[in-house]
Amino acid sequence: MKRIDERDTMFSRMNYAEGEFPYEDYYSKNPDKLEVDKEIRQKPNLCGPGTMSYNPINSPIAVASFKFLGDIMHLSEGEANGVKTPLDKKIATKRLKGLATLYGASLVGTLKMKDYHYYSHRGRHKEVYGEEVNNLLPYGLVFAVEMDKEMINRAPQISEIIETSKGYVNASIIGMVLSYYIRELGYNARNHMDANYLTVAPLVAQDAGLGQIGRNGILTTKEYGSRVRLGIVTTDLELLEDSPIDFGLEDFCNLCGNCAITCPGKSIPKGQQKDIDGSFRWQINQESCYDRWRSLGTDCGICINSCPFSQGINMAEINTFKDNKEAILRCLKEYRDKYNIRPYIKDSPEWLK
């Protein structure tokens, strides 16, 4: 699989300022992206005045969370203790998974990192723009943090981005503790967190068996659907390897399509998977998706809460989905009888009123 260049992501592109090197370099090589990016930049920032969801008291909650994440991201890397503690990979894996769970991880997996799990080049921050990603530590521990269902079911209101930003904060703390612990044992470790990933988190999580990547382009788990945020710690401490799982999500997505139907930016494809860079998958239109975020003032979340898995599906049923159209249709009927296309809680939680 071809490595993804972080410079091409919307989060990176929106950080490029006219007159600065990243802006001039990127658009000289990608002139087709210039006009659409200019149009998006003219819109208000997420959680900012002028967006549909803006609230002068509530919107700064998410802004504060992201600023906190920015302030601590330099702690993602550090020097290892000079003395290595001999550690069997079975014991190491057990300790790290247990510690991640203790600090709030809902799902945890370990794996041998592949080349395509890492970005090819960095792009999110001008200080490291264009740097090749070469620190390819060989093992990874990836974990998912569940997001509150009722907060996500208020998407795309401000409650949704308060919950997603909280998910990123929680994941960053878990990753910090794990990476600090590994370095205390004498091994190298890096925490990959919001705005400071060297890895493509959904690919890592999928290969470690946490879930599968569905039509909406993000990880879908059996237990929580798409209502998760991901964190990753890479290390040279040898770990056991978990295996990918296949619970029939591709078959389910082919028959469902809720996320494509409800997407306000029409950014999620409605057809079958296509061959993209050598692998069959669905690919969202990241420009129209992010453009809608800037109008809403939140990171939307409608594709997350419209996924039937996010609302809870009978686990016994899930295990019958692969190559079983009847089981999937039965599950979809039960879901739509209850929610139609997606649940929506109109009112804010009491503490935000």
Side-chain angles (χ1 to χ4, degrees):
M1 188 181 295
K2 182 181 177 182
R3 288 173 72 179
I4 296 171
D5 191 329
E6 191 187 29
R7 291 174 292 188
D8 292 325
T9 67
M10 291 307 298
F11 303 114
S12 295
R13 286 155 55 182
M14 290 299 104
N15 281 345
Y16 304 154
E18 194 167 1
E20 295 183 347
F21 173 72
Y23 185 100
E24 305 303 329
D25 178 72
Y26 184 79
Y27 293 114
S28 68
K29 297 173 182 175
N30 300 275
D32 57 309
K33 303 289 196 302
L34 180 59
E35 289 306 314
V36 65
D37 287 3
K38 278 186 173 181
E39 289 180 13
I40 295 173
R41 283 195 193 90
Q42 291 174 2
K43 294 191 173 184
N45 289 320
L46 293 184
C47 300
T51 59
M52 291 170 61
S53 63
Y54 178 68
N55 180 290
I57 297 173
N58 296 340
S59 295
I61 296 173
V63 175
S65 295
F66 287 120
K67 284 190 175 181
F68 168 70
L69 290 166
D71 287 345
I72 68 170
M73 71 179 185
H74 70 282
L75 301 172
S76 292
E77 301 181 43
E79 294 295 323
N81 187 331
V83 181
K84 282 189 176 181
T85 302
L87 202 58
D88 174 79
K89 63 181 179 181
K90 184 176 181 180
I91 296 297
T93 303
K94 180 181 179 181
R95 292 292 184 277
L96 290 172
K97 285 187 173 182
L99 186 59
T101 302
L102 177 67
Y103 271 81
S106 303
L107 301 169
V108 191
T110 51
L111 76 165
K112 190 81 174 285
M113 297 291 288
K114 305 285 196 306
D115 185 68
Y116 65 81
H117 290 145
Y118 288 94
Y119 286 118
S120 63
H121 297 79
R122 302 189 71 178
R124 188 74 178 258
H125 306 286
K126 65 180 181 181
E127 297 81 7
V128 294
Y129 172 88
E131 286 185 6
E132 290 188 26
V133 177
N134 292 319
N135 185 21
L136 309 185
L137 291 169
Y139 292 93
L141 183 141
V142 56
F143 47 90
V145 175
E146 181 190 6
M147 295 187 292
D148 182 81
K149 187 189 295 185
E150 290 197 353
M151 292 290 276
I152 295 299
N153 285 352
R154 291 179 165 90
Q157 299 176 58
I158 199 68
S159 299
E160 182 273 343
I161 198 169
I162 289 174
E163 183 61 23
T164 57
S165 61
K166 173 180 173 286
Y168 283 120
V169 168
N170 291 346
S172 73
I173 299 299
I174 296 168
M176 288 296 188
V177 172
L178 292 170
S179 56
Y180 270 65
Y181 170 55
I182 294 170
R183 292 196 289 265
E184 280 300 303
L185 294 173
Y187 300 86
N188 293 307
R190 188 191 196 279
N191 180 26
H192 303 263
M193 52 173 282
D194 180 68
N196 195 23
Y197 290 98
L198 300 184
T199 58
V200 185
L203 294 179
V204 180
Q206 179 172 250
D207 286 356
L210 268 63
Q212 295 180 263
I213 299 173
R215 185 184 292 274
N216 60 8
I218 56 181
L219 189 81
T220 298
T221 69
K222 291 195 294 184
E223 298 83 355
Y224 312 107
S226 303
R227 285 189 298 107
V228 293
R229 297 288 86 156
L230 300 172
I232 297 166
V233 171
T234 52
T235 181
D236 56 6
L237 172 61
E238 189 175 5
L239 301 172
L240 296 176
E241 298 177 45
D242 290 317
S243 300
I245 59 174
D246 184 353
F247 55 90
L249 184 66
E250 179 182 337
D251 295 326
F252 192 95
C253 289
N254 276 327
L255 292 173
C256 177
N258 273 9
C259 59
I261 294 168
T262 59
C263 176
K266 305 304 178 188
S267 308
I268 301 174
K270 292 183 178 179
Q272 301 293 308
Q273 293 179 326
K274 295 181 180 180
D275 185 347
I276 300 170
D277 295 327
S279 63
F280 277 87
R281 56 192 174 93
W282 290 287
Q283 185 173 54
I284 70 165
N285 183 318
Q286 63 169 340
E287 288 83 5
S288 61
C289 175
Y290 187 76
D291 178 77
R292 187 49 58 105
W293 287 17
R294 294 284 285 259
S295 296
L296 292 169
T298 70
D299 49 0
C300 186
I302 290 175
C303 69
I304 296 176
N305 88 344
S306 66
C307 175
F309 286 91
S310 295
Q311 303 305 324
I313 292 178
N314 183 286
M315 294 298 284
E317 285 277 70
I318 290 176
N319 294 328
T320 68
F321 284 162
K322 188 167 175 59
D323 300 320
N324 191 338
K325 181 177 179 180
E326 290 75 18
I328 294 171
L329 291 174
R330 183 168 63 247
C331 179
L332 282 172
K333 182 180 185 306
E334 182 180 327
Y335 171 86
R336 286 170 178 158
D337 285 346
K338 186 174 183 180
Y339 299 114
N340 190 15
I341 293 296
R342 76 177 184 102
Y344 178 60
I345 301 174
K346 184 177 181 180
D347 294 333
S348 298
E350 189 61 34
W351 68 276
L352 281 177
K353 292 181 181 177

